[in-house]
């Protein structure tokens, strides 16, 4: 379906050795079937927002772009969308450089709500869809289908400002997916959604993956990334600090990690000698023991002081890897309870 | 990807034509314009409904009677009542009467008081005492009436016969006739001249102001809501910008056409008058170019600011520059080809209005017309191009307004 000429000028313009090597490192069946980013760099007047970032987001996989606020996620996404142009590096879509024809194949969800507040729901959706090259009648038909799926059909003639934040987010979602894009790029898609709608979004994510699309999404909430991503990169201050699959990442940071749930005051845990790290919550904790400590020995010492209801040795969560890599100074990492979707009224205590 | 430009234009047109703001300006603008032109005349005639009482302290014994008679002949109210009524203090002793008259003036029983001393028969100065020195019309009317009476009286005393006096005091009327190159003779009606250019300038001003503000509002909304990111992931910045200008221009033209239709059906003779004005065919050229130039400025400015208030401030200053020539309108009618106006005509931001004013009085030389149009064309292109560059970057940036240095950088990068 796609035109793929190897004589494509733009592709050979980017014929750096590293680019060829990158392509060769991928199995032939997958070659070019992805968004590939190589040595991307973008500098604003005094900050390097994106610094030598390379990754490949393959078709049929969900790719996570993680990092704290201000890490360069949104800039990276804007570069992908060609809203900004990079100072250096290349981005290719299935082997092709960006062209205006490609715009119709990209679906984008911005971080903040990008909707006309005073316009009507249906009109807005149709406008964005026609901008992506759909005819008006086609757009209208599909818009109604999507609105029905999101249970918004009754609101079709309402103004957007009358909608709740969560519903506005759903409309934004419809706008980014209605034209059935090949490349789905979503900036913080879960913010402002209740757990029920988060499930609906998840379902759609998996649908898109199944349809063989490139799905890239950014988040600063690790739980989402952990549950959804096939592959991920973690960026901080514009640089990649971690990449690979979720399990690879965990293996690499596989330490003597323990997860416990308990009743009682667990505050003493953080000051124990054989504990290297401690994420302490109201009634659970993630601990990292010193290298030569045995977990079962450790359990024996704490049961004397705590009523332990669950004890598990485990891989570290992405969240703790995060803190480790990004540093404890980035307070925006402390997840809100609602964002984590956890039942505990946990409070993060950092050692 | 041409079609995306039209998709943008179509939305801007349809969304705005349905908006309340558009309806309001459609109705309110003509009301305001008519109000501006009719209210002054309305109030001016309104002040003529009551007889004004004026005091005279008269030592001559005859001047006040003649004055009263002459005023009655010349000035009457619509209901045939005299416009002015004199209250005469005839006895000797100016000082005491002056005091009495003054207190009457202060009590607002009389509008003012004229002092005619005995010496007036040879003197040239008359005292008028009032609390309202601003009533220039009254002073002028009395001045000419008293002057005529005194002149006639002096002639009579020099034994000039009544017949000759009449001959001497005949007044003169000048009848201006305009000569055009076609050899046509046309009676010049000052009002035709004034209104055809005045209406042209006002229409352009209203159009630029309303669509300009819509442009700015639309840009600022998309910018502050981050809609612009979604848009830019779907179409190019230049398509977006040109689409906006096209769509909103269409809206402005709809508005002006509706006004024109209303105007023509309401007062058809007025339309004929306008169409017969000088060089009317040149007006649309200046109109369109001026409009595009200001649109470019508004779009550029809109992409630089983050709030609508900021935008309003800047745009109103720019619009003031455009209407500035209106201030000079009367001078321009007197002497349309003075060097000052020629120079002002070559400042692109003022060219359309300046030329509109001058053309209606006397069509400037062909060279000057071609030169101003060329300059306007070039600056419109340059501004459009610049606006595109600034728009592309400005629309994505938030926070503080860029300084001049950054703007230049943007223009180079964009």
């Amino acid at each position: 379906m796609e035109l793929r000429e190897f004589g494509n000028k733009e592709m050979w313009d980017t014929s750096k050795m590293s680019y060829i090597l990158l392509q060769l490192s991928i199995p032939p069946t997958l070659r070019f079937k992805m968004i590939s980013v190589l040595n991307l760099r973008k500098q604003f007047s005094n900050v390097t927002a994106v610094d030598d970032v390379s990754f490949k987001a393959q078709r049929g996989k969900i790719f996570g772009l993680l990092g704290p606020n201000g890490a360069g996620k949104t800039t990276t996404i804007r570069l992908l969308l060609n809203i900004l142009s990079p100072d250096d590096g290349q981005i290719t879509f299935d082997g092709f450089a960006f062209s205006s024809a490609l715009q119709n194949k990209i679906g984008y969800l911005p971080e903040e709500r990008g909707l006309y507040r005073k316009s009507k729901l249906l009109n807005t959706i149709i406008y964005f869809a026609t901008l992506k090259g759909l005819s008006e009648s086609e757009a209208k038909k599909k818009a109604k289908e999507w609105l029905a799926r999101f249970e918004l059909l009754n609101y079709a003639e309402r103004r957007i400002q009358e909608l709740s934040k969560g519903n506005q987010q759903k409309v934004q979602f419809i706008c980014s997916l209605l034209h059935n894009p090949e490349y789905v790029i979503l900036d913080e898609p879960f913010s402002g959604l209740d757990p029920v709608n988060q499930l609906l979004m998840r379902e759609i994510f998996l649908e898109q993956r199944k349809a063989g699309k490139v799905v890239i999404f950014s988040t600063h909430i690790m739980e989402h990334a952990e549950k959804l991503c096939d592959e991920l990169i973690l960026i901080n201050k514009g640089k990649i600090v971690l990449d690979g699959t979720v399990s690879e990442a965990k293996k690499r940071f596989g330490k003597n990690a323990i997860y416990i749930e308990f009743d009682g005051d667990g505050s003493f845990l953080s000051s124990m000698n054989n504990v290297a790290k401690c994420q302490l919550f109201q009634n659970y904790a993630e601990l990292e023991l010193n290298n030569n400590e045995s977990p079962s020995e450790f359990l024996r010492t704490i049961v004397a002081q705590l009523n332990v209801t669950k004890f598990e040795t485990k891989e570290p969560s992405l969240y703790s890897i995060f803190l480790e890599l990004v540093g404890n100074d980035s307070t925006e990492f402390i997840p809100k309870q609602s964002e984590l979707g956890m039942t505990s009224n946990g409070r993060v205590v950092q050692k | 990807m041409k079609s995306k430009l039209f998709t943008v234009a179509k939305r801007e047109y349809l969304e705005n034509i349905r908006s309340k703001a558009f309806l309001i300006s459609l109705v309110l603008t003509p009301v305001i314009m008519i109000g501006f032109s009719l209210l002054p005349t309305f109030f001016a005639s309104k002040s003529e409904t009551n007889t004004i009482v004026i005091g005279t302290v008269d030592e001559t014994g005859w001047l006040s009677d003649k004055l009263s008679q002459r005023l009655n002949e010349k000035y009457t109210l619509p209901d045939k009542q005299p416009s002015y009524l004199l209250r005469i203090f005839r006895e000797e002793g100016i000082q005491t009467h002056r005091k009495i008259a003054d207190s009457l003036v202060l009590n607002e029983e009389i509008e003012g008081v004229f002092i005619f001393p005995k010496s007036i028969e040879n003197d040239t100065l008359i005292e008028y005492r009032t609390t309202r020195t601003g009533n220039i019309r009254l002073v002028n009317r009395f001045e000419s009436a008293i002057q005529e009476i005194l002149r006639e009286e002096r002639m009579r005393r020099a034994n000039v016969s009544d017949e000759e006096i009449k001959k001497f005091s005949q007044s003169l009327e000048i009848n201006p006739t305009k000569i055009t190159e076609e050899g046509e003779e046309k009676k010049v009606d000052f009002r035709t001249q004034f209104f055809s250019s005045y209406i042209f300038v006002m229409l352009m001003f209203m159009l630029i102001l309303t669509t300009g503000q819509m442009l700015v509002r639309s840009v600022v909304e998309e910018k502050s809501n981050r809609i612009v990111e979604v848009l830019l992931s779907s179409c190019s910045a230049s398509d977006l910008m040109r689409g906006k200008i096209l769509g909103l221009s269409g809206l402005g033209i709809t508005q002006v056409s509706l006004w024109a239709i209303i105007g023509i059906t309401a007062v058809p003779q007025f339309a004929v008058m306008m169409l017969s004005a000088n060089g009317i065919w040149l007006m649309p050229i200046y109109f369109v170019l001026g409009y595009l130039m200001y649109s470019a400025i508004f779009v550029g400015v809109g992409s630089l600011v983050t709030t609508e208030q900021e935008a309003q401030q800047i745009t109103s200053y720019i619009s003031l520059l455009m209407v500035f020539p209106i201030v000079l309108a009367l001078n321009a009618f007197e002497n349309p080809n003075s060097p000052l106006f020629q120079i002002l005509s070559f400042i692109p931001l003022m060219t359309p209005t300046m030329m509109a004013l001058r053309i209606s009085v006397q069509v400037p030389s062909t060279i000057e017309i071609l030169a101003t149009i060329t300059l306007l064309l070039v600056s419109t292109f340059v501004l459009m191009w610049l606006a595109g560059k600034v728009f592309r970057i400005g629309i994505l940036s938030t926070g503080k307004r860029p300084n001049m240095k950054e703007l230049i950088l943007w223009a180079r990068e964009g």
Side-chain angles (χ1 to χ4, degrees):
Chain A
M1 201 176 98
E2 287 115 31
L3 291 165
R4 191 168 302 133
E5 300 167 43
F6 280 83
N8 180 297
K9 184 177 158 286
E10 282 159 332
M11 197 184 90
W12 291 106
D13 276 349
T14 60
S15 62
K16 284 183 185 167
M17 203 59 189
S18 50
Y19 180 73
I20 294 166
L21 286 177
L22 180 90
Q23 291 295 348
L24 289 177
S25 70
I26 304 157
T29 45
L30 275 180
R31 200 169 294 162
F32 299 127
K33 295 227 169 200
M34 61 172 135
I35 293 180
S36 145
V37 171
L38 195 66
N39 305 120
L40 202 61
R41 236 177 66 82
K42 179 72 185 176
Q43 175 123 25
F44 294 116
S45 54
N46 46 7
V47 267
T48 309
V50 177
D51 193 356
D52 199 23
V53 165
S54 303
F55 62 85
K56 38 190 198 278
Q58 295 173 27
R59 280 175 176 269
K61 296 216 167 145
I62 296 175
F63 187 86
L65 202 57
L66 318 185
N69 296 339
K73 294 178 304 231
T74 299
T75 306
T76 307
I77 284 176
R78 286 180 178 179
L79 289 167
L80 285 176
L81 298 167
N82 200 44
I83 292 177
L84 294 175
S85 45
D87 296 335
D88 204 1
Q90 336 145 349
I91 301 165
T92 52
F93 297 77
D94 292 343
F96 293 101
F98 185 89
S99 65
S100 58
L102 207 65
Q103 280 179 328
N104 290 351
K105 293 188 183 177
I106 297 178
Y108 168 54
L109 178 98
E111 181 181 358
E112 292 164 64
R113 299 301 78 76
L115 296 168
Y116 296 96
R117 292 169 42 73
K118 289 187 178 154
S119 299
K120 289 182 180 154
L121 212 62
L122 193 62
N123 288 347
T124 304
I125 298 174
I126 291 173
Y127 174 55
F128 283 127
T130 47
L131 267 184
K132 290 291 189 186
L134 262 64
S135 74
E136 214 157 297
S137 56
E138 204 182 345
K140 193 169 184 176
K141 190 173 140 256
K142 286 199 172 179
K144 287 193 168 160
E145 284 169 22
W146 277 91
L147 285 171
R149 180 167 184 189
F150 281 85
E151 292 168 355
L152 285 173
L153 206 49
N154 292 338
Y155 295 87
E157 293 299 323
R158 294 274 193 90
R159 289 178 198 285
I160 286 180
Q161 60 187 358
E162 298 168 28
L163 264 60
S164 72
K165 221 180 156 194
N167 279 341
Q168 288 185 17
Q169 174 76 334
K170 288 198 229 169
V171 174
Q172 192 86 62
F173 241 102
I174 296 175
C175 292
S176 57
L177 293 174
L178 184 81
H179 57 291
N180 196 21
E182 298 283 318
Y183 315 102
V184 181
I185 298 171
L186 312 162
D187 201 353
E188 301 280 357
F190 294 104
S191 63
L193 288 181
D194 60 34
V196 177
N197 284 316
Q198 285 190 9
L199 275 178
L200 184 58
M201 291 307 145
R202 240 184 92 119
E203 192 185 297
I204 288 162
F205 259 70
L206 299 176
E207 229 173 62
Q208 299 290 318
R209 172 165 78 175
K210 209 173 156 197
K213 305 195 174 160
V214 177
V215 182
I216 296 179
F217 82 104
S218 81
T219 183
H220 66 280
I221 300 161
M222 294 309 104
E223 294 291 313
H224 296 147
E226 193 155 0
K227 283 179 194 154
L228 274 174
C229 287
D230 296 307
E231 290 187 34
L232 60 89
I233 57 168
L234 166 58
I235 46 180
N236 188 35
K237 292 176 183 155
K239 284 197 165 85
I240 295 186
V241 288
L242 177 72
D243 61 354
T245 62
V246 175
S247 58
E248 270 170 15
K250 287 184 173 177
K251 225 173 272 167
R252 207 176 313 162
F253 285 82
K255 288 195 183 138
N256 218 348
I258 293 171
Y259 177 85
I260 53 173
E261 285 178 19
F262 51 80
D263 295 328
D265 183 12
S267 55
F268 70 93
L269 289 168
S270 57
S271 52
M272 286 173 75
N273 283 337
N274 40 7
V275 173
K277 273 219 166 88
C278 174
Q279 298 294 330
L280 185 63
F281 298 83
Q282 185 77 27
N283 48 8
Y284 72 94
E286 285 182 35
L287 305 172
E288 204 183 297
L289 301 182
N290 287 332
N291 279 341
N292 46 2
E293 282 296 326
S294 135
S296 50
E297 197 63 37
F298 177 73
L299 176 62
R300 223 164 286 147
T301 28
I302 60 166
V303 282
Q305 299 172 59
L306 273 181
N307 178 20
V308 177
T309 55
K310 189 175 177 185
F311 184 88
E312 188 182 6
T313 58
K314 62 173 282 187
E315 298 169 315
S317 68
L318 266 184
Y319 176 56
S320 56
I321 295 176
F322 233 78
L323 285 181
E324 165 123 16
L325 287 170
V326 173
N328 290 349
D329 54 341
S330 47
T331 46
E332 63 261 37
F333 269 118
I334 297 172
K336 289 180 200 122
Q337 188 195 343
S338 57
E339 287 176 334
L340 278 171
M342 284 184 179
T343 47
S344 79
N345 48 352
R347 185 170 59 92
V348 178
V349 178
Q350 286 165 5
K351 188 175 177 179
Chain B
M1 292 293 111
K2 258 268 180 303
S3 63
K4 288 193 177 173
L5 188 161
F6 295 111
T7 311
V8 175
K10 190 176 160 193
R11 181 189 178 274
E12 291 289 345
Y13 185 85
L14 290 178
E15 281 283 319
N16 280 298
I17 207 164
R18 293 188 200 123
S19 73
K20 278 184 202 121
F22 178 76
L23 261 176
I24 290 170
S25 92
L26 187 68
V27 176
L28 217 57
T29 312
V31 171
I32 290 172
M33 274 179 76
I34 291 167
F36 268 129
S37 50
L38 290 189
L39 277 185
T41 22
F42 176 71
F43 279 119
S45 58
K46 176 121 182 156
S47 63
E48 287 273 271
T49 52
N50 290 322
T51 302
I52 297 171
V53 183
I54 303 283
T56 56
V57 176
D58 192 351
E59 278 189 340
T60 63
W62 54 269
L63 183 53
S64 294
D65 293 329
K66 287 206 166 175
L67 181 62
S68 175
Q69 191 192 339
R70 186 154 302 219
L71 287 171
N72 286 347
E73 281 167 15
K74 273 187 154 176
Y75 309 110
T76 49
L77 296 173
D79 57 2
K80 308 282 181 226
Q81 293 294 309
S83 296
Y84 304 102
L85 204 68
L86 293 189
R87 182 161 172 186
I88 306 161
F89 300 89
R90 229 182 277 273
E91 292 82 28
E92 304 242 330
I94 281 192
Q95 296 309 325
T96 35
H97 284 303
R98 180 190 274 171
K99 267 186 197 145
I100 297 165
D102 278 359
S103 68
L104 287 175
V105 171
L106 290 172
N107 290 335
E108 300 202 348
E109 279 180 44
I110 55 177
E111 168 86 13
V113 58
F114 282 91
I115 312 289
F116 303 140
K118 193 87 184 147
S119 61
I120 189 73
E121 284 158 31
N122 302 309
D123 211 348
T124 53
L125 202 68
I126 289 173
E127 193 182 355
Y128 176 56
R129 301 167 70 80
T130 180
T131 52
R132 297 173 201 149
T133 47
N135 197 343
I136 290 163
R137 186 169 55 182
L138 182 141
V139 172
N140 283 343
R141 282 177 174 181
F142 272 73
E143 188 180 82
S144 68
I146 296 169
Q147 197 173 328
E148 280 169 27
I149 294 166
L150 283 177
R151 195 191 293 135
E152 284 167 22
E153 186 59 28
R154 283 169 195 158
M155 283 196 271
R156 195 167 291 127
R157 289 189 187 179
N159 290 325
V160 181
S161 71
D162 281 2
E163 238 166 71
E164 274 172 308
I165 292 174
K166 216 176 217 171
K167 224 175 358 180
F168 289 146
S169 29
Q170 261 171 359
S171 62
L172 184 72
E173 203 179 321
I174 292 175
N175 182 13
T177 304
K178 178 155 183 172
I179 319 161
T180 61
E181 275 175 34
E182 293 89 48
E184 252 176 85
E185 271 188 25
K186 247 199 293 194
K187 265 202 180 153
V188 179
D189 180 9
F190 172 75
R191 272 173 298 183
T192 319
Q193 262 183 23
F194 183 72
F195 271 111
S196 56
S197 53
Y198 182 77
I199 282 186
F200 168 82
V201 172
M202 283 317 275
L203 270 185
M204 188 161 88
F205 176 63
M206 295 313 299
L207 179 67
I208 288 177
L209 209 65
T210 50
T211 53
Q213 271 168 1
M214 281 191 276
L215 255 176
V216 168
R217 201 176 304 137
S218 142
V219 172
V220 170
E221 188 198 7
E222 286 175 3
K223 188 176 166 173
S224 61
N225 276 348
R226 296 307 173 99
I227 300 167
V228 67
E229 288 182 27
V230 183
L231 294 174
L232 288 182
S233 77
S234 311
C235 68
S236 68
S238 71
D239 273 350
L240 184 61
M241 186 182 95
R242 286 181 296 163
K244 270 183 192 306
I245 293 179
L246 185 69
L248 291 174
S249 306
L251 192 72
I253 289 165
T254 309
Q255 193 170 12
V256 170
S257 316
L258 282 173
W259 289 340
I261 290 167
I262 294 169
I264 288 169
T265 38
V267 250
Q269 67 271 33
F270 193 72
V272 176
M273 183 183 95
M274 267 205 72
L275 285 175
S276 65
N278 283 315
I280 191 82
W281 58 275
L282 278 168
M283 302 269 191
I285 298 176
Y286 286 109
F287 193 109
V288 170
L289 284 177
Y291 179 73
L292 286 177
M293 178 175 65
Y294 275 95
S295 299
I297 295 174
F298 283 126
V299 156
V301 167
S303 69
L304 292 182
V305 297
T306 39
T307 63
E308 224 175 284
Q309 288 92 317
E310 256 181 301
Q312 301 282 3
Q313 264 176 20
I314 299 178
T315 49
S316 45
Y317 285 129
I318 301 172
S319 326
L320 274 182
L321 208 59
M322 184 183 75
V323 279
F324 170 69
I326 284 282
V327 180
L328 305 170
L330 283 176
N331 290 331
F333 285 133
E334 272 172 23
N335 191 2
N337 289 335
S338 81
L340 173 68
F341 295 133
Q342 285 184 323
I343 291 168
L344 288 180
S345 301
F346 279 92
I347 298 172
L349 287 176
M350 293 188 202
T351 303
T353 23
M354 216 53 242
M355 288 307 276
L357 287 176
R358 292 176 55 195
I359 285 170
S360 63
V361 188
Q362 183 187 6
V363 180
S365 70
T366 317
I367 295 171
E368 208 178 327
I369 286 173
L370 283 179
T372 49
I373 288 180
T374 312
L375 185 67
L376 196 56
L377 204 64
V378 169
S379 39
T380 302
F381 266 107
V382 169
L383 278 170
M384 276 275 173
W385 173 81
L386 257 180
K389 299 261 178 189
V390 169
F391 182 79
R392 176 152 168 52
I393 297 184
I395 200 161
L396 282 173
S397 71
T398 45
K400 102 179 184 6
R401 216 184 293 163
N403 57 32
M404 216 53 210
K405 210 171 119 194
E406 282 168 306
L407 269 183
I408 293 165
L409 200 73
W410 287 7
R412 246 189 263 151
E413 271 181 26

